[in-house]
Amino acid sequence: MTDWTTADIPSLSGKTAVVTGATGGLGYETAMALAGAGAIVILTGRNDAKGVRAIEGICERFPHALIAYEHLDLASLASVSDFTRRFAASNEQLDLLVNNAGVMALPKRQQTADGFEMQLGTNYLGHYALTARLLPQLRRAKAARIVNLSSLAHRSGAINFDDLQSKHSYRPWRAYCQSKLAMLMFSLELQRRSLAAGWGLTSLAAHPGYARTDLIANGPGTRTLQSRVSRWLQPFISQSAAEGALPTLLAATFPAAEPGGYYGPNGFYELKGPPRLAKIMSQAKDFASAAMLWDVSATLTGISFDEIAAAA
């Protein structure tokens, strides 16, 4: 694969895309590029004021962009349900879903509105529920794609089924790594289940490497010696949010992207560089654990892909 850029995105005219966490950072850059290619893009986020500014910023660059903002809080299953109900009322189909929103390494354990550990709930369970509830619209599209944002952090992740919500022992980075491993496992399992059930979906995953976003800048411990050294090294080991969004955009739009593929930067340790197929750690390929995680997710959220597919 040559060095893929946004110039390689084909025309997306007539396609509808939903991007979560699109009011800044990677999500904003993803939405910007999709809108620039002609897609109808729905940006979602928790902060409505930032949503308005994001729309204004995209329209400054692409005055004829077909974009809208919708409130969506992935830390609330009720908000997920409300959003998908509004979406279904005005959209017959959905061509592209980019599950991008996330929180990182919260210093103290917090819970979502539904009692989930905040990182697992926002980064993974909310996206599981969103994807399931949008399944009818995704299946009506000719070749729908779902792109799930994972991370290099998945390499250090493990799914702790005995303490999935980190109630007995909470460590910020361990919980974050678990949530990003869950996203990658979900992406791979969704592809397997779509093939088995004939849902007609293409599920992929991506990671941005070390991208300079608010998720990094506002993360924990930003005044530590380690973080100061990291900021000094940033020009050498990191890339911009626009560059970090390229693996997501390739997975979302490249005609030859591999179903079930995982894309990231091609540089040292996949920290930066043009997008390519990325390394998937062995724990993400554990089919038995992925199936268990899928079943646990259905129980925790009360949402079943099979039931929604049957009712559609």
Side-chain angles (χ1 to χ4, degrees), residues 77 80 128-130 132-133 297-305 307-308:
L77 293 179
V80 171
Y128 167 92
L130 176 68
R133 291 205 178 278
S297 303
T299 299
L300 288 172
T301 62
I303 301 171
S304 165
F305 272 78
E307 291 178 4
I308 291 175

Side-chain angles (χ1 to χ4, degrees), residues 183-195 199 203 284 286-295:
M183 281 295 276
L184 182 51
M185 293 173 72
F186 170 54
S187 189
L188 299 175
E189 184 69 7
L190 178 58
Q191 181 62 41
R192 288 191 288 268
R193 294 191 180 233
S194 176
L195 287 172
W199 293 339
S203 176
D286 185 335
F287 293 176
S289 291
M292 184 182 299
L293 179 64
W294 185 281
D295 292 341

Side-chain angles (χ1 to χ4, degrees), residues 44-99:
T44 76
R46 295 176 299 172
N47 186 317
D48 296 346
K50 288 183 68 176
V52 171
R53 291 196 294 272
I55 294 292
E56 292 172 346
I58 293 174
C59 286
E60 280 184 15
R61 182 168 177 186
F62 299 109
H64 302 294
L66 301 173
I67 53 176
Y69 168 79
E70 288 282 349
H71 184 88
L72 171 60
D73 183 357
L74 274 301
S76 165
L77 293 179
S79 180
V80 171
S81 179
D82 288 344
F83 167 78
T84 55
R85 189 180 303 113
R86 295 195 308 272
F87 181 86
S90 55
N91 295 272
E92 187 69 18
Q93 66 182 48
L94 175 60
D95 301 279
L96 174 62
L97 172 62
V98 180
N99 289 324

